[in-house]
Amino acid sequence: MPAPITLSARAGALQPSLTLAITAKARQLRSEGKDVVSLSAGEPDFDTPAFIRQAASDALEAGHTRYGPVSGEPALRQAIAAKLCEENGVPTSSDQVLVTNGGKQALYNLFQVLLNRGDGVLLPAPYWLSYPEIAHLAGARVQIIPSTAAGGFRLDPAALEAAITPTSRLLVLNSPSNPTGMVLGRHELEEIAAVLRRHPQLLVVCDEIYEFLLAPGHSHHSLAAVAPDLAERIFIVNGFAKGWAMTGWRVGWLAGAREVVAAASALQSQSTSNVCTFAQYGALAAITAPRDCVLAMAADFNRRRLLLSEGLARIPGLNLLPPEGAFYAFPDASAWGLDSMTLCNRLLDEQGLALVPGVAFGDDRCIRLSCAASDTTLIEGLERLRRFQAGL
Ligand code: GLU
């Protein structure tokens, strides 16, 4: 009899991504003929714009099918650097940019090259569920900074200051936020910068993947533009998935201090190598084009975010802070008396409605709904939620 295979402690402790798992489960149930409405995926339901698809297809036909430079096609790195300078006000040169397999690999690589065992990662809650896992994979400790719904799920600079310990090494900022939709304003970023100036050992990663998805009246600011004196300590993670509807392409980037980006590139050279070459040419067409298609999709998300928020406001017992960006709503459903996992399991079993439990994002009172779905799906999802509440 062969000896049982034991997994590494690292793999044993790893939680697979629940957002991806629920999305896959909903898809599978539908393929089995079940009537399932999914508001779980954080994925634009638009097709990638035609000119981007065409550019990738042209690159494929032109023979861009071989290994490329690990850090990315030079023209794409240059275009990302130009975007950061011009659109985000963050002076960046192309050797400060690494093209990655989506924003997730940018985070993974960064955490791996910055963090030692026991280092602290400061994580404002609620947070996107992959941050803690990526931190644990790097051997780091997660230091959660709680927030309150009454405080708008905002990062309180005093709470940040209080959470910092001598081993704190990296602060994660995600604005617009997944799952709350909170958008950090310029003044808030200035206050955060003031705290950072008092703690020179602390580095920051800004996950700006939802930068284009902003409710009216809100603007996106990069911390590195608001506090240029801290730019050496700030890393930007972003990608094409959300703004350009390119989730499956897996093209993202990491930008920041040259030596750190070089280390992340070395890590990538020993793991995945370059991002799919012809996909990078699609990304190049996307980033160098005017933002019309991005803004048109963002406008549609604004309309649907409102449709979702207004629908949720009409369901008794749900308490929603109007999201300011991204494409999620994160209502507090604790008045229904169920923990978020039980609630989501029952919604799927009893109503065929797939949502993501808030516990995965660090808040068991809440549930996450995505408005990246058609109006019909949103309306049907809301109706199923209302029916469930009525039956409680
Ligand atoms: N970021 C998206 C979400 O939260 C995509 C799925 C994932 O990678 O987690 O739904």
Side-chain angles (χ1 to χ4, degrees):
M1 192 136 126
I5 298 172
T6 51
L7 294 175
S8 66
R10 195 185 314 114
L14 184 64
Q15 296 291 327
S17 166
L18 192 66
T19 42
L20 295 183
I22 292 177
T23 307
K25 183 168 176 193
R27 201 173 291 141
Q28 190 204 325
L29 288 171
R30 265 204 300 263
S31 74
E32 290 166 3
K34 306 238 165 55
D35 171 26
V36 171
V37 167
S38 179
L39 299 181
S40 60
E43 170 164 45
D45 56 326
F46 297 108
D47 290 332
T48 302
F51 75 94
I52 301 174
R53 303 199 308 264
Q54 189 61 53
S57 159
D58 290 348
L60 184 56
E61 291 307 321
H64 291 289
T65 55
R66 299 200 162 79
Y67 289 134
V70 169
S71 302
E73 291 296 307
L76 180 57
R77 292 175 80 196
Q78 183 56 53
I80 293 168
K83 178 241 184 284
L84 284 162
C85 295
E86 288 152 25
E87 202 163 19
N88 301 108
V90 182
T92 308
S93 58
S94 59
D95 59 351
Q96 292 180 275
V97 174
L98 171 66
V99 179
T100 56
N101 193 55
K104 236 178 218 173
Q105 191 185 23
L107 290 163
Y108 181 86
N109 287 353
L110 182 70
F111 283 35
Q112 287 290 325
V113 302
L114 287 183
L115 300 168
N116 282 312
R117 184 154 299 282
D119 281 351
V121 171
L122 291 159
L123 189 56
Y127 45 78
W128 178 47
L129 50 79
S130 290
Y131 299 130
E133 296 303 318
I134 295 173
H136 292 146
L137 285 169
R141 274 178 317 106
V142 174
Q143 302 177 291
I144 306 277
I145 310 173
S147 66
T148 59
F153 288 130
R154 314 199 80 82
L155 174 58
D156 171 9
L160 167 62
E161 183 109 49
I164 299 171
T165 65
T167 56
S168 302
R169 175 90 170 123
L170 182 65
L171 167 68
V172 181
L173 293 181
N174 172 217
S175 172
S177 153
N178 173 7
T180 66
M182 178 271 312
V183 174
L184 288 169
R186 171 175 276 277
H187 180 63
E188 288 175 289
L189 289 169
E190 279 164 358
E191 288 184 330
I192 292 168
V195 176
L196 293 171
R197 287 189 188 101
R198 292 194 282 277
H199 298 274
Q201 90 283 8
L202 204 55
L203 306 171
V204 190
V205 56
C206 296
D207 181 345
E208 304 190 346
I209 191 84
Y210 296 99
E211 71 165 310
F212 295 112
L213 306 184
L214 296 159
H218 295 276
S219 330
H220 173 72
H221 299 283
S222 289
L223 178 65
V226 172
D229 58 312
L230 302 178
E232 271 297 300
R233 292 204 257 152
I234 298 171
F235 297 89
I236 295 178
V237 166
N238 204 332
F240 293 85
K242 306 300 189 328
W244 285 271
M246 291 171 67
T247 49
W249 293 61
R250 311 312 302 140
V251 191
W253 67 84
L254 167 68
R258 230 166 244 106
E259 62 278 17
V260 176
V261 167
S265 175
L267 175 67
Q268 192 161 298
S269 80
Q270 297 291 19
S271 50
T272 58
S273 306
N274 63 281
V275 170
C276 169
T277 311
F278 49 87
Q280 291 188 59
Y281 282 88
L284 178 62
I287 203 165
T288 50
R291 297 288 179 258
D292 308 19
C293 63
V294 174
L295 297 177
M297 290 188 276
D300 218 43
F301 286 131
N302 278 347
R303 198 183 49 72
R304 297 185 205 174
R305 194 188 302 106
L306 209 55
L307 176 73
L308 181 63
S309 306
E310 287 174 354
L312 290 170
R314 284 194 291 271
I315 301 178
L318 290 183
N319 197 355
L320 176 72
L321 276 168
E324 302 166 342
F327 41 47
Y328 307 104
F330 197 58
D332 180 339
S334 57
W336 293 358
L338 299 168
D339 66 83
S340 64
M341 191 63 95
T342 306
L343 174 54
C344 287
N345 282 334
R346 283 189 55 185
L347 281 168
L348 189 55
D349 293 344
E350 297 170 25
Q351 298 292 337
L353 175 62
L355 306 180
V356 189
V359 67
F361 305 97
D363 196 328
D364 202 17
R365 294 163 301 185
C366 296
I367 46 178
R368 192 192 79 172
L369 300 91
S370 164
C371 72
S374 68
D375 289 21
T376 325
T377 307
L378 287 172
I379 291 165
E380 179 59 23
L382 285 164
E383 174 54 22
R384 290 179 188 212
L385 200 56
R386 195 201 55 73
R387 268 205 312 260
F388 178 82
Q389 184 278 327
L392 279 175

